Amino acid sequence: MSVYLDCNATAPIDPAVAAVVTKYLIEEFGNAGSRTHDFGTRAKQAVEKARQQLALVASAGKDEVIFTSGATESNNLVILGLAPEGEKTGKKHIITTAIEHKAVLEPNEALEKRGFEVTYLKPDFDGRIKPKDLADALRDDTLLVSIMHANNETGAIQPLAECLEQLKGHDAYFHTDAAQSFGKIPKTLENKRIDFISVSAHKLYGPKGVGALIARKRGYKRTPLSAIMFGGGQEKGLRPGTLPVHLIAGLGEAAEQALQNQTQRKEACLKLKDEALSALSELNPRYHGADNALAHTINFSVPGINSEAAIVALKGIAAVSNGSACTSQSYTLSHVLTAMDMPQEEIMGAIRVSWCHMTETVDWSAIVRALKELL
């Protein structure tokens, strides 16, 4: 049976999380907005517990957690939701990176059509942004800086702490898409200078269809986000709609499990990574963003091997990918690897393998043998 090595696309659900989701889907099915009976009260309590569980991972206040359908919506809520503030104050400059997920790039492109100016920082050869480039790009009219925490394709962890240092004395808002890193990299997201953190449950061994935006206050003042959807007063008026209690409770449990088990999970992932690197060395691969990368991600190419052919050759052995799940159905070159100035042939050969602490033993030798047959 094929081993699943595409956890960056979506991770398997943790059994403890699945149990919580099932409970609030079947047994405790009340609407958190119903305040006239016990069913609604218990549902509301489950939502508030999840809010606290999530807040603890980033050392935030529970009232700073807004539940969304996932990191894509959270990213849109930050970028598009700050636009009215920028238009009102005349601050219409945004800084982001060329390696962001499309859920950040496309909202920024939409704002460019509304008269905003966006600066796209390019990564270095290792897939990481240089903090000095951020410092050079800052302007008096910069409204927002949006830099992802860890890249979904290469696993490259961005130097957020150093980037935040460049913002000293500047009041630009700082947002990070932490879909791939939340609950996996301790401490960094606790930095109070990070105004917005986007979270996705299904990257954290939780259910699909739910996520959160952590929107920190500055002092006692809330950030000036405007709603981008309308139809109810839920989530402080920023995210209308009936709260999916079972999904939210699952996200909360996933966050708590992550906080408790970060070290053990990372150690298990690093063990698999060491095994992978040792086995793959036979192929003399070229690694993309290998230094300062997530413990559970490797992106590589082997000269002479096309990624599409590799994926076919590995069917029945390992489920891998050649980039972001959101763009894998199109055959355009990876914008992430392109921004890293990789040769086209190398980009076309790029293979991403990503696993987790629940991944069973991987037969890396079988993977190497299958790839060797393509040479």
Side-chain angles (χ1 to χ4, degrees):
M1 183 178 175
S2 180
V3 64
Y4 184 72
L5 295 177
D6 200 17
C7 289
N8 282 15
T10 192
I13 193 165
D14 186 285
V17 174
V20 170
V21 172
T22 301
K23 174 183 176 181
Y24 286 96
L25 180 65
I26 298 173
E27 299 172 29
E28 295 289 355
F29 52 82
N31 188 326
S34 299
R35 305 188 181 189
T36 57
H37 49 68
D38 291 345
F39 292 88
T41 298
R42 290 195 295 271
K44 177 72 171 177
Q45 289 170 343
V47 168
E48 293 311 307
K49 178 182 177 181
R51 212 182 294 279
Q52 181 62 41
Q53 289 169 315
L54 207 64
L56 285 173
V57 176
S59 191
K62 62 178 288 189
D63 62 334
E64 296 173 325
V65 176
I66 301 160
F67 290 114
T68 66
S69 63
T72 291
E73 184 185 340
S74 298
N75 293 338
N76 275 263
L77 180 54
V78 171
I79 296 163
L80 300 179
L82 278 177
E85 175 71 7
E87 290 164 337
K88 183 176 74 176
T89 61
K91 293 187 173 185
K92 297 175 70 175
H93 178 234
I94 296 171
I95 300 172
T96 188
T97 82
I99 58 171
E100 297 296 315
H101 191 279
K102 294 291 186 180
V104 167
L105 295 176
E106 291 185 9
N108 274 301
E109 289 168 6
L111 288 189
E112 286 182 292
K113 294 174 183 175
R114 288 169 54 176
F116 281 74
E117 186 179 345
V118 182
T119 299
Y120 297 91
L121 304 179
K122 284 195 63 174
D124 212 337
F125 66 92
D126 62 355
R128 283 160 51 94
I129 300 303
K130 296 188 285 292
K132 184 181 183 303
D133 289 349
L134 169 59
D136 292 343
L138 276 173
R139 304 186 333 204
D140 290 341
D141 64 340
T142 301
L143 171 71
L144 173 68
V145 176
S146 181
I147 299 176
M148 67 188 346
H149 192 188
N151 187 265
N152 49 302
E153 290 192 32
T154 65
I157 301 169
Q158 302 306 313
L160 289 195
E162 293 88 341
C163 287
L164 291 166
E165 283 291 315
Q166 311 308 314
L167 292 179
K168 281 188 174 178
H170 200 292
D171 63 358
Y173 293 100
F174 189 90
H175 164 247
T176 188
D177 178 350
Q180 295 291 345
S181 66
F182 191 80
K184 300 173 186 177
I185 303 173
K187 301 300 179 185
T188 303
L189 297 178
E190 295 180 9
N191 192 316
K192 303 299 183 183
R193 184 60 182 84
I194 301 175
D195 298 288
F196 303 105
I197 302 170
S198 295
V199 182
S200 183
H202 75 107
K203 312 290 188 180
L204 192 62
Y205 322 111
K208 298 177 185 68
V210 68
L213 174 66
I214 296 175
R216 281 197 176 92
K217 298 175 184 175
R218 288 189 171 182
Y220 296 100
K221 191 175 180 182
R222 293 193 180 281
T223 49
L225 283 182
S226 297
I228 59 174
M229 295 193 298
F230 304 91
Q234 296 94 338
E235 297 304 277
K236 303 176 179 65
L238 288 174
R239 208 283 176 170
T242 300
L243 294 174
V245 177
H246 60 300
L247 299 179
I248 288 171
L251 172 55
E253 180 66 22
E256 182 169 317
Q257 293 288 333
L259 194 59
Q260 292 175 353
N261 301 303
Q262 275 179 357
T263 302
Q264 303 94 302
R265 290 179 174 183
K266 184 175 181 180
E267 287 173 354
C269 287
L270 284 173
K271 182 176 182 294
L272 279 173
K273 192 169 200 174
D274 287 343
E275 293 172 2
L277 293 172
S278 177
L280 292 171
S281 64
E282 287 186 44
L283 298 168
N284 296 313
R286 296 171 182 169
Y287 293 108
H288 314 134
D291 297 328
N292 298 299
L294 292 166
H296 57 274
T297 306
I298 297 175
N299 190 303
F300 69 97
S301 59
V302 178
I305 296 180
N306 179 277
S307 64
E308 294 293 329
I311 289 169
V312 172
L314 290 171
K315 281 196 173 178
I317 301 172
V320 302
S321 72
N322 56 356
S324 170
C326 298
T327 56
S328 63
Q329 293 182 44
S330 65
Y331 292 96
T332 55
L333 294 178
S334 161
H335 71 278
V336 173
L337 300 184
T338 300
M340 291 166 63
D341 291 329
M342 297 285 176
Q344 182 171 325
E345 183 181 346
E346 198 166 327
I347 297 173
M348 292 180 71
I351 301 167
R352 181 186 70 182
V353 290
S354 52
W355 55 90
C356 72
H357 62 285
M358 290 186 281
T359 301
E360 60 264 40
T361 302
V362 181
D363 190 347
W364 296 108
S365 296
I367 292 173
V368 170
R369 283 196 301 272
L371 294 178
K372 272 186 174 179
E373 290 178 5
L374 296 173
L375 294 171

